[in-house]
Amino acid sequence: MAARQALQVHLDLLSQPCRALHILLACTRLPHTVRHVALRRGEHRTPEFTEINPMQKVPVMVDNGFILTESDAIIKYLVNKVDEYTAWHHTHTRPHAAKVFLLEVLLPAQTGSPVEAQRLVGALSQLQETLDQLESMFLRRQPFLCGDDITVADLLAVCEIMQPEGGGRDVLQDRPLLQRWKSRVQAAVGDAFDQAHAVLYALRDRRRAKL
Amino acid sequence: MAARQALQVHLDLLSQPCRALHILLACTRLPHTVRHVALRRGEHRTPEFTEINPMQKVPVMVDNEFILTESDAIIKYLVNKYDVPDHWYPRQPERRARVDEYTAWHHTHTRPHAAKVFLLEVLLPAQTGSPVEAQRLVGALSQLQETLDQLESMFLRRQPFLCGDDITVADLLAVCEIMQPEGGGRDVLQDRPLLQRWKSRVRAAVGDAFDQAHAVLYALRDRRRAKL
């Protein structure tokens, strides 16, 4: 029988903030248990899960009975760290990258309708502005978003930027500066990067196979 | 000659996060200088301000040349660094995590949903001269209602403040967002006694600083009323 760890996280690896948390746990080697929650199968709406998290969202952390939601609160709790990027992340990187994935993959999959081209153009444009700002504000003269070292900010950002890959779209295609940053992040976290993104890669590959 | 403080903040008191920071500074009595930036006059786009903050947003803090944007990063930095009462952003990891939990949720719920009501009722009509877009407003109010429901059921269930028994920076951020529609004469807590009681507790805890921070917003509300 597997030992019950005090620290438990409930994750769906199709969710960007879940992947960031997953990578952090892998890198820091904090002992923990992962419970997988499949959002697309509605597992976040079961009575059992709702009892843990009435918000019905992932990720959620349970540490010796202390229940915590919100990925950056969880991550910070785990490393006791505060920085400026994560606030901006929630109003820029996360919504703008997520919207592209929503329009290209999620909505068509759920509704059976074709991609709404007009909205997608708008979402891509907004994402371009955000990527411009990432390059000019956070990566100007430093290798990582918050300085010389990788921080939780880099994990949160890279996972959002990866999400459109689920639809086969590399949003960094023409951005060598961000590509170099992403390579540094991948190098810093090692195997944990691809392990966390395995589900997303599988989605991308399944969609490609259908074309 | 007034002493130049090492800590400087650039604020527009029509901005909700600026007010939260203003109230925190008043409550903690940290020595500081306030530079007012009038967004409606485009003062955030001047070359001088852009040099301080290329994001062209408020609030921004300068502490001995260390420049920081994003209201909750600034607020947390100040509480972390300076000797202020611990309850604002407790050091104990679980209590601190609760504040982080709220401030993350704040950015995706309280802030956008309350701000949208103010945008539709006050800002857009003022800027465009067009009437209020009634359909969009109905949708925005509905979304805000859901968020207020969640504030009551998730964060204020069995506790007097959003993150526990004591006021924290979370309460400041939230109350300033919830006040914003007042600029258009709308009290979004009108039928919500639980949230009204919470707001009274926050006001009692911060004293005069509350009305001082909201003076500009009240003035806007009163000017609009006078025109009716």
Side-chain angles (χ1 to χ4, degrees):
Chain A
M1 188 160 101
R4 287 286 310 252
Q5 303 289 355
L7 178 64
Q8 202 182 69
V9 290
H10 299 249
L11 305 178
D12 180 334
L13 289 181
L14 265 178
S15 147
Q16 307 88 308
C18 286
R19 290 199 296 272
L21 175 57
H22 190 267
I23 292 174
L24 181 77
L25 287 167
C27 287
T28 56
R29 296 208 177 85
L30 280 168
H32 65 285
T33 309
V34 176
R35 295 286 195 85
H36 289 280
V37 179
L39 297 178
R40 68 194 178 287
R41 288 201 292 269
E43 288 177 7
H44 54 308
R45 296 204 190 95
T46 63
E48 189 189 53
F49 186 78
T50 308
E51 208 183 311
I52 298 170
N53 183 12
M55 301 273 199
Q56 296 184 336
K57 286 187 173 172
V58 286
V60 60
M61 176 205 82
V62 187
D63 186 21
N64 274 327
F66 176 59
I67 299 177
L68 190 61
T69 66
E70 296 293 338
S71 60
D72 52 328
I74 296 169
I75 282 170
K76 287 169 184 178
Y77 169 83
L78 293 174
V79 301
N80 246 335
K81 189 184 164 84
V82 177
D83 75 68
E84 178 182 2
Y85 172 78
T86 58
W88 189 84
H89 174 85
H90 278 292
T91 49
H92 292 76
T93 315
R94 175 148 172 71
H96 297 163
K99 195 165 185 184
V100 171
F101 179 75
L102 180 82
L103 290 171
E104 276 194 316
V105 179
L106 278 186
L107 281 182
Q110 284 169 3
T111 63
S113 310
V115 172
E116 294 175 70
Q118 191 74 347
R119 288 184 73 193
L120 180 60
V121 164
L124 285 166
S125 170
Q126 219 175 17
L127 178 57
Q128 288 315 313
E129 278 185 46
T130 288
L131 295 176
D132 286 343
Q133 284 178 301
L134 272 177
E135 291 181 334
S136 63
M137 304 291 178
F138 294 98
L139 287 175
R140 184 176 43 164
R141 292 197 290 268
Q142 56 191 18
F144 293 101
L145 292 176
C146 301
D148 290 327
D149 258 316
I150 190 170
T151 67
V152 299
D154 301 283
L155 298 188
L156 286 166
V158 81
C159 290
E160 293 297 343
I161 283 167
M162 283 299 292
Q163 191 76 348
E165 289 262 1
R169 177 184 291 275
D170 175 9
V171 299
L172 299 189
Q173 200 170 335
D174 302 306
R175 292 181 176 269
L177 183 68
L178 276 167
Q179 283 174 0
R180 287 197 295 275
W181 161 77
K182 180 184 155 190
S183 298
R184 285 192 285 273
V185 174
Q186 282 176 295
V189 307
D191 290 339
F193 190 91
D194 284 340
Q195 281 164 14
H197 285 87
V199 180
L200 191 72
Y201 295 153
L203 172 66
R204 174 196 63 193
D205 297 342
R206 278 199 307 275
R207 287 169 56 93
R208 270 199 192 134
K210 286 185 192 161
L211 295 172
Chain B
M1 187 161 99
R4 288 286 310 261
Q5 301 293 353
L7 177 62
Q8 205 181 69
V9 290
H10 299 250
L11 306 177
D12 182 333
L13 289 179
L14 268 179
S15 146
Q16 308 87 308
C18 286
R19 292 199 294 271
L21 175 56
H22 190 266
I23 293 173
L24 181 76
L25 287 166
C27 288
T28 55
R29 296 208 179 82
L30 281 170
H32 65 285
T33 309
V34 175
R35 293 288 196 82
H36 288 281
V37 179
L39 297 178
R40 66 196 178 288
R41 287 200 293 268
E43 287 177 6
H44 55 308
R45 296 205 189 95
T46 61
E48 189 189 52
F49 186 79
T50 309
E51 207 183 311
I52 299 170
N53 183 12
M55 301 273 199
Q56 296 185 335
K57 285 185 174 174
V58 286
V60 61
M61 176 207 81
V62 186
D63 185 20
N64 277 321
E65 296 180 6
F66 173 58
I67 299 176
L68 190 63
T69 66
E70 296 294 331
S71 60
D72 53 326
I74 295 170
I75 281 169
K76 289 171 182 176
Y77 166 83
L78 290 173
V79 176
N80 258 337
K81 179 166 177 182
Y82 292 105
D83 186 21
V84 302
D86 183 70
H87 67 80
W88 288 112
Y89 189 48
R91 287 195 193 279
Q92 200 268 335
E94 291 181 6
R95 293 177 64 200
R96 172 160 293 206
R98 285 278 171 245
V99 179
D100 287 335
E101 185 179 36
Y102 176 76
T103 59
W105 190 86
H106 176 87
H107 281 292
T108 49
H109 290 77
T110 315
R111 176 145 173 74
H113 297 164
K116 194 166 186 184
V117 171
F118 179 74
L119 180 81
L120 290 170
E121 277 194 315
V122 180
L123 278 187
L124 281 182
Q127 283 169 1
T128 63
S130 309
V132 172
E133 294 175 74
Q135 191 73 347
R136 289 184 74 195
L137 181 59
V138 164
L141 285 166
S142 169
Q143 220 175 18
L144 179 57
Q145 290 314 311
E146 279 185 46
T147 287
L148 295 176
D149 288 343
Q150 284 177 300
L151 272 176
E152 293 181 334
S153 64
M154 303 292 175
F155 294 97
L156 287 174
R157 185 176 45 164
R158 294 197 287 267
Q159 57 191 20
F161 293 100
L162 293 176
C163 301
D165 291 330
D166 254 314
I167 191 171
T168 68
V169 298
D171 301 284
L172 298 186
L173 287 164
V175 80
C176 290
E177 291 298 340
I178 283 168
M179 284 299 292
Q180 192 75 348
E182 290 259 1
R186 178 184 292 276
D187 175 9
V188 301
L189 300 189
Q190 198 168 339
D191 303 307
R192 291 182 176 270
L194 183 69
L195 275 166
Q196 283 174 3
R197 286 196 295 274
W198 161 77
K199 179 183 155 188
S200 298
R201 284 190 285 270
V202 173
R203 290 188 70 150
V206 307
D208 291 339
F210 189 92
D211 286 337
Q212 281 163 13
H214 285 87
V216 181
L217 191 71
Y218 296 153
L220 171 65
R221 174 196 63 193
D222 298 342
R223 277 198 308 276
R224 287 169 56 92
R225 272 197 192 137
K227 287 187 191 160
L228 293 172

